[in-house]
């Protein structure tokens, strides 16, 4: 990623954290997919492109990483 723009809201009474992240990627070659790894306790609600259109998201989990279990998100640009 070449740029992050993150806004976060903490609700101590509910013990929740809500965030919105805008991440700008610069691919090294043309591709329709990007693999993103997030902490497994984070819930992803949507992935939108720069045009506001949704991307397909496939979730996979891998164990045995240095920091424990990691959740991988495969984000794919829809056809058309």
């Amino acid at each position: 990623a070449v740029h992050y723009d993150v806004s976060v809201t903490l609700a101590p009474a509910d013990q929740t954290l809500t965030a919105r992240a805008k991440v700008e990627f610069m691919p090294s070659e043309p591709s329709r997919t990007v693999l993103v790894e997030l902490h497994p306790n984070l819930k992803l609600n949507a992935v939108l492109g720069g045009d506001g259109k949704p991307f397909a998201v496939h979730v996979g989990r891998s164990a045995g990483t240095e920091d424990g279990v990691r959740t991988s998100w495969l984000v794919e640009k829809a056809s058309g």
Side-chain angles (χ1 to χ4, degrees):
V2 294
H3 181 75
Y4 294 91
D5 183 13
V6 181
S7 60
V8 178
T9 303
L10 290 172
D14 299 336
Q15 294 186 356
T16 59
L17 175 141
T18 304
R20 178 176 216 144
K22 180 180 178 182
V23 182
E24 182 180 339
F25 292 96
M26 181 64 66
S28 57
E29 60 185 59
S31 178
R32 292 173 34 94
T33 61
V34 62
L35 181 63
V36 179
E37 293 181 344
L38 299 174
H39 190 280
N41 291 339
L42 295 176
K43 178 182 172 190
L44 183 66
N45 292 323
V47 176
L48 305 176
D51 58 3
K53 294 182 181 177
F55 281 65
V57 178
H58 308 280
V59 180
R61 292 175 72 90
S62 59
T65 60
E66 291 179 14
D67 56 350
V69 176
R70 181 175 288 152
T71 301
S72 298
W73 306 89
L74 178 63
V75 179
E76 186 173 20
K77 180 72 172 171
S79 300

